[in-house]
DNA sequence: TTCGACCTTATATAACTATAAAATGCAATA
DNA sequence: TATTGCATTTTATAGTTATATAAGGTCGAA
């Protein structure tokens, strides 16, 4: 009857925050600071900290506040209790994507049909549908019902998407406002190196995909232009759904990783034009070889 | 308690449809054909036709259906009865945009505050907020409330937007899938010529803006790539809000119109590269000279 | 002076309902 | 045989409410 609590998400966020800032045992965790960082009030922070205290990750002193009970690095990376799904809708969302890609969902559906199919109350269903509409693979019909677009299922959309990405990323790099971000570059180098040194087999498909996306979004972010970044984020959200279903070709990863590192090298050498051109063919190359279903 | 009827919109659509297809007095208007064209069932079509019959635009014969009672060209272009606003929310949406741009709305607001301010039930407000969020100038905060972004109000966003448009449109034209659409070109030529021959003073700001947007979207549509077109549509929706507030400089229109026609000429001469380069500077030029508030 | 503890107020959500409107099957007609 | 006209079924919306949760002020401890 009431909304989903923020507490579980905040709990995770605090752990992330502590890690990202390299905090150690005994470091202080002021409520207001965390509240500002996550753009919420002190109330949900309080709840999360009490949670963490119960897990032994944090300890509190009366009237003095909360302190880390362990070094941030030590903390369990695997998500705590009921998490990974701030919303509770993520699984249905993925099921719908799967059903759509496998052809189980017709081009046109009514809300009530979907409610029955996925056993959801209307409110939740609508939330998901709006998200999907925002991603562009479904649209509201003028009267009743929703129609799936071809964005996910057609070969042409897939190729158009790569053409779009190639252009956006290349051009973002050529913008006069482009400014390499040393911190971002450093982290990207680390990730790509880790991937090269053993990650190929060990990492999960999702992890590899995520690393790849973060690399490209980091590059575009350097353009300092929100519109370019937004466009890339948008298309990457779509890509995720499709690429998950493609058997990953791990033999291509070494080359991809080397190309990523090469791009960073070129930029740091001040050879931006070369980097942009290389990035362009890098993306188109990735799109040309993989083969999506249907 | 029930939804807004489709009938008014369909009524307009039928008029548009008849005009666009050059229909004349006595031409038949089959229900199913119109229903398919507008992606609705026959029910709202029926309602709309009865409406038009009452207005004398259409006549019916029992068991035979509906026929145009006048030539399509003759029909009144000014919107009929209660129209122009399919949703009923358009005016509030614009009021919010104005209030935001004029600084009357703070960076952070709660839904309840907005409900009181604009005297709306929650459902309607949410619809508008989601639309705005989709356009990117507001975002949901994790706890309560919504935060406006800088997308509308900052000078930098404005310039970034022009840079983005220039890149997207230029590159769309250079895509291998780009294929001029003769019909679209013809209509664009007509509109631009009309604008040149007297439209400068006569047309309303909204009409001029619309003609301009349609020109650019038509060009990008020729790329046959949904992602490019989508990106342009997205940013144009935003642009509309800002440019409406800028006093239009009508002395610049002749040059703009000539440049538009010049672009069409270049493409039809097969000089696509030149056209793309020219388009690029055309857009950046437009962005550089106008001065938004704030 | 900073920050947590406590407390009150404000907020948004999820489920429910009544009802207008859209969808659609089918018989009648041209 | 296609298309309307009508009747029936299905659908989505605007509004309402109860309730968990977030927001944020004040006071006192450190």
């Amino acid at each position: 009857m009431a909304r989903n609590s923020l507490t579980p998400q905040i709990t995770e966020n605090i752990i992330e925050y502590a890690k990202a800032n390299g905090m150690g045992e005994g470091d202080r965790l002021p409520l207001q600071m965390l509240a500002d960082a996550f753009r919420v009030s002190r109330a949900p922070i309080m709840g999360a900290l009490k949670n963490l205290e119960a897990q032994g990750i944090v300890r509190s002193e009366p009237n003095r506040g909360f302190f880390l009970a362990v070094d941030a690095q030590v903390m369990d990376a695997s998500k705590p209790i009921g998490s990974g799904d701030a919303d509770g809708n993520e699984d249905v969302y993925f099921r719908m994507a799967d059903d759509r890609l496998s052809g189980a969902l017709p081009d046109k559906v009514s809300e009530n049909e979907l409610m029955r199919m996925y056993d959801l109350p209307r409110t939740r269903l609508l939330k998901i549908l709006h998200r999907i509409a925002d991603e562009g693979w479904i649209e509201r019909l003028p009267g009743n019902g929703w129609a799936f677009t071809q964005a996910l299922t057609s070969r042409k959309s897939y190729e158009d998407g790569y053409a779009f990405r190639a252009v956006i990323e290349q051009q973002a790099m050529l913008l006069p406002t482009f400014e390499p971000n040393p911190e971002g570059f450093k982290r990207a180098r680390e990730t790509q190196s880790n991937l090269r040194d053993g990650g190929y087999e060990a990492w999960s498909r999702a992890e590899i995909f995520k690393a790849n996306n973060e690399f490209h979004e980091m590059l575009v972010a350097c353009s300092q232009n929100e519109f370019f970044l937004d466009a890339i984020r948008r298309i990457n959200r779509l890509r995720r759904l499709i690429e998950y279903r493609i058997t990953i070709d791990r033999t291509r990863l070494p080359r991809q990783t080397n190309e990523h590192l090469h791009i960073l090298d070129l930029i740091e050498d001040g050879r931006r034009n070369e980097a942009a051109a290389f990035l362009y063919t890098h993306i188109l190359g990735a799109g040309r070889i993989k083969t999506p279903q249907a």
Side-chain angles (χ1 to χ4, degrees), chain A:
Chain A
M1 300 279 179
R3 83 184 82 180
N4 289 335
S5 169
L6 288 179
T7 311
Q9 296 167 59
I10 300 270
T11 308
E12 281 178 52
N13 289 349
I14 291 177
I15 294 178
E16 262 178 53
Y17 181 93
K19 281 192 183 171
N21 292 57
M23 297 178 79
E25 191 273 323
D27 282 350
R28 197 153 193 191
L29 294 165
L31 286 183
Q32 191 62 60
M33 189 254 293
L34 293 169
D36 291 343
F38 306 139
R39 310 219 284 173
V40 295
S41 71
R42 286 161 358 225
I45 303 283
M46 191 57 153
L49 286 173
K50 292 227 160 113
N51 233 332
L52 288 169
E53 189 177 17
Q55 295 177 46
I57 295 176
V58 146
R59 69 186 148 74
S60 71
E61 292 176 25
N63 280 319
R64 289 207 60 227
F66 295 87
F67 305 85
L68 263 188
V70 294
D71 280 343
Q73 312 311 332
V74 180
M75 291 188 288
D76 196 1
S78 72
K79 309 288 177 68
I81 313 125
S83 89
D85 187 355
D87 206 317
N89 293 334
E90 195 79 358
D91 53 334
V92 187
Y93 164 81
F94 272 108
R95 255 164 64 216
M96 285 187 61
D98 276 346
D99 290 346
R100 175 57 187 161
L101 284 162
S102 72
L105 279 170
D107 287 349
K108 196 191 146 183
V109 281
S110 78
E111 287 173 17
N112 287 8
E113 276 175 89
L114 288 171
M115 284 168 65
R116 287 190 288 268
M117 269 177 160
Y118 295 96
D119 190 33
L120 288 172
R122 177 157 260 122
T123 348
R124 286 183 162 228
L125 174 68
L126 281 179
K127 224 173 178 175
I128 300 172
L129 288 178
H130 281 125
R131 170 178 173 185
I132 296 179
D134 184 47
E135 291 176 358
W137 48 286
I138 206 171
E139 57 186 13
R140 197 63 244 276
L141 291 171
N144 293 352
W146 298 70
F148 285 101
T149 69
Q150 296 304 308
L152 279 187
T153 50
S154 86
R155 171 84 211 193
K156 177 164 186 313
S157 299
Y158 182 82
E159 282 163 0
D160 285 354
Y162 270 92
F164 185 71
R165 282 181 64 214
V167 163
I168 294 286
E169 296 200 20
Q170 180 198 35
Q171 296 292 320
M173 196 171 283
L174 295 173
L175 247 32
T177 48
F178 186 92
E179 188 67 52
N181 170 349
E183 174 63 23
F185 270 49
K186 188 166 146 274
R187 278 213 303 268
R189 265 187 203 288
E190 280 168 19
T191 311
Q192 296 294 319
S193 304
N194 288 340
L195 183 52
R196 189 178 52 188
D197 307 339
Y200 297 137
E201 271 85 29
W203 291 21
S204 76
R205 185 197 300 193
E207 283 168 324
I208 293 173
F209 185 74
K210 181 158 169 270
N212 183 49
N213 267 9
E214 279 172 359
F215 176 84
H216 286 278
E217 287 180 15
M218 185 277 290
L219 280 184
V220 176
C222 294
S223 74
Q224 326 248 35
N225 185 314
E226 274 303 314
F227 295 97
F228 281 81
L229 184 54
D230 212 64
I232 284 299
R233 289 220 180 103
R234 268 198 125 67
I235 197 167
N236 278 348
R237 263 185 292 162
L238 254 193
R239 250 158 46 78
R240 181 177 60 143
L241 294 174
I242 301 173
E243 313 261 345
Y244 269 5
R245 296 175 62 88
I246 300 172
T247 1
I248 200 166
D249 179 358
R250 287 178 197 257
T251 64
R252 293 190 58 247
L253 287 176
R255 185 170 152 208
Q256 194 184 73
T257 313
N258 283 330
E259 291 186 354
H260 285 166
L261 290 168
H262 182 53
I263 290 166
L264 297 180
D265 288 341
L266 285 173
I267 295 172
E268 286 182 332
D269 280 6
R271 294 149 75 186
R272 279 232 320 257
N273 289 341
E274 284 174 69
F278 187 77
L279 175 60
Y280 184 82
T281 56
H282 166 76
I283 294 173
L284 281 192
R288 208 173 292 120
I289 293 165
K290 291 183 198 161
T291 309
Q293 82 299 334

